[in-house]
Amino acid sequence: MKKTVDKLVVAGALCLLASCISAPPRAPGIGQPVPWTQLPGWQDERLAQAWPALQSSCQKMPARDARWGELCADAALFPAPDDDTARAFFETRFVAHEVSGSNDTAEGLITGYYEPLLHGSRGKTRRFRYPVYGRPDDLVVVDLGALYPELQGKRYRGRLNNNRVVPYYSRADISNGKRPPDDAVIAWVDDPVALFFLEIQGSGRIRLPDGKMLHVGYADQNGHPYVAIGRTLVDAGLMKLEEATMPAIRAWLKANPEKAQAVLNSNPSYVFFTLREPDSLGPIGALNVPLQPERSVAVDPNFIPLGSPVWLDTSLPGNRDARPYRRLVFAQDTGGAIRGPVRADLFLGFGENAERTAGAMRQRGKLFVLLPADRKIN
């Protein structure tokens, strides 16, 4: 009997030495600090090119996080650093943390978005008959955190009906006539599908018949959840998952006009816009700073703090040799489809190349969040 017990003891010890007892999985989100050498490609990045994005985040972050006050004051001392100076700044002022997804996965989905170009008019015509709505006056936003502290940061959007707040009109409601009044329209466009994708991108430009350009940006949303129409097409057996890229979805909608509206209505979310100054530096993201091409990303703020630097390790579509795409970006936006810890939407700017890349981008990738270092003062 003693020999049996001894064997069990030895077996248990060997099991521990061989890591037979697995460590508990990491919780989704920001994990423990990692050395800079663990960030793939960090030493090769042209970090001076990321400095303007840091300066943009510094416009808002000190009010959100006290640690950013001193950090941004120090950054202001270097208006145009070289790469080595910028790298030294980030390595001394920040600590890198790997972001983990559910089931302890390190990789997640990286997509892209851009500023689309639409054709429209300030007035309704036979050609330009699809409305781009500004924020309607009857949209009510209730701050739930003011009533229930546990719901801090949560808001409910609806409208008043007999002194009761009820859900605002869904996309299907709006397309079927239950819509805001025409005086809420800021422009009329000629393509309902292009208008739908303008909502997904959150900002864009509308070229008027005289050649002038209207710049529009996100103003608000109707409060309904976002549903990806690509998923609708896949679930209906009309498209394979690997085929559900933006160009393919647009092509399907164009080829099936009699079914297009029903597919669009499967996404009840509806976005309202505002006019922005044409000389602004770029579309305004959720952090309320201009987005910068290939330096701004949309993230899920439940996992990654807005304004934070993020090391992005992914690839671009169309690279046959699968060359890595690694760079420092900043979490300056959010989006209805951006949910989960290892999830980012890279802003690619304006123009055909940006549209082409964003439309095809569904890459795997890793994220590392840079959080302010706790600096001790002696």
Side-chain angles (χ1 to χ4, degrees):
M1 179 68 180
K2 185 174 185 304
K3 288 184 178 180
T4 302
V5 173
D6 290 342
K7 288 181 180 179
L8 289 174
V9 171
V10 172
L14 290 174
C15 187
L16 287 173
L17 290 173
S19 299
C20 292
I21 300 177
S22 59
R26 293 173 293 181
I30 298 175
Q32 295 298 313
V34 297
W36 295 102
T37 54
Q38 195 167 321
L39 275 59
W42 173 257
Q43 293 300 323
D44 300 323
E45 167 68 318
R46 302 294 300 276
L47 287 169
Q49 296 178 4
W51 203 253
L54 171 67
Q55 293 172 321
S56 289
S57 282
C58 277
Q59 296 176 27
K60 301 295 179 181
M61 290 306 294
R64 289 170 165 262
D65 185 336
R67 295 175 298 175
W68 277 77
E70 180 185 355
L71 187 156
C72 290
D74 289 346
L77 300 175
F78 305 95
D82 58 23
D83 290 328
D84 290 338
T85 302
R87 182 171 290 102
F89 181 90
F90 284 110
E91 290 182 355
T92 55
R93 285 1 184 248
F94 291 93
V95 176
H97 299 253
E98 185 176 12
V99 182
S100 297
S102 56
N103 300 321
D104 206 17
T105 56
E107 287 193 345
L109 177 63
I110 311 298
T111 53
Y113 68 117
Y114 68 105
E115 268 196 287
L117 174 65
L118 287 77
H119 298 277
S121 170
R122 295 304 298 264
K124 187 177 182 180
T125 69
R126 190 171 183 177
R127 174 186 174 187
F128 303 114
R129 61 185 188 274
Y130 302 102
V132 181
Y133 283 109
R135 189 185 188 282
D137 291 337
D138 61 345
L139 179 65
V140 175
V141 180
V142 180
D143 183 359
L144 298 177
L147 300 173
Y148 307 100
E150 65 273 18
L151 298 179
Q152 190 68 36
K154 303 293 183 181
R155 292 176 174 82
Y156 177 82
R157 288 169 171 79
R159 59 186 177 85
L160 288 176
N161 183 15
N162 295 327
N163 294 323
R164 294 177 61 248
V165 178
V166 297
Y168 201 79
Y169 302 119
S170 68
R171 179 178 301 279
D173 292 333
I174 293 173
S175 67
N176 290 323
K178 294 180 180 180
R179 59 182 65 189
D182 282 355
D183 59 9
V185 178
I186 60 177
W188 302 82
V189 297
D190 62 354
D191 186 344
V193 174
L195 176 57
F196 179 86
F197 281 97
L198 171 66
E199 292 185 47
I200 294 177
Q201 304 308 312
S203 63
R205 307 180 191 185
I206 302 172
R207 178 173 287 143
L208 304 179
D210 62 1
K212 292 182 180 178
M213 200 81 76
L214 295 181
H215 296 241
V216 297
Y218 176 93
D220 216 321
Q221 186 258 359
N222 65 345
H224 290 262
Y226 174 86
V227 175
I229 63 170
R231 173 56 63 181
T232 299
L233 292 170
V234 170
D235 290 346
L238 299 171
M239 187 174 290
K240 295 180 180 178
L241 181 60
E242 61 271 17
E243 298 172 344
T245 62
M246 189 184 302
I249 293 171
R250 295 185 75 149
W252 189 95
L253 294 171
K254 184 177 181 179
N256 298 273
E258 73 285 353
K259 301 177 182 178
Q261 191 59 59
V263 172
L264 297 180
N265 287 346
S266 69
N267 175 23
S269 174
Y270 200 96
V271 171
F272 306 111
F273 292 91
T274 185
L275 292 174
R276 60 182 178 86
E277 293 298 323
D279 59 349
S280 62
L281 297 176
I284 304 300
L287 190 62
N288 202 27
V289 300
L291 302 178
Q292 301 187 30
E294 299 188 63
R295 291 296 177 183
S296 298
V297 291
V299 299
D300 186 341
N302 293 311
F303 295 97
I304 296 177
L306 271 181
S308 299
V310 178
W311 183 250
L312 175 62
D313 178 15
T314 186
S315 62
L316 291 181
N319 284 342
R320 293 183 179 180
D321 54 356
R323 286 178 298 170
Y325 181 86
R326 295 162 173 162
R327 60 177 45 212
L328 185 65
V329 296
F330 286 76
Q332 296 174 335
D333 205 3
T334 60
I338 313 305
R339 293 290 179 264
V342 191
R343 179 73 176 92
D345 203 19
L346 176 66
F347 178 63
L348 290 157
F350 175 76
E352 293 182 1
N353 287 337
E355 179 179 358
R356 189 181 306 111
T357 303
M361 192 165 181
R362 288 183 62 84
Q363 314 299 106
R364 304 302 297 173
K366 295 181 180 180
L367 302 178
F368 298 82
V369 175
L370 277 57
L371 299 180
D374 292 321
R375 303 179 68 195
K376 296 180 180 180
I377 301 177
N378 296 325

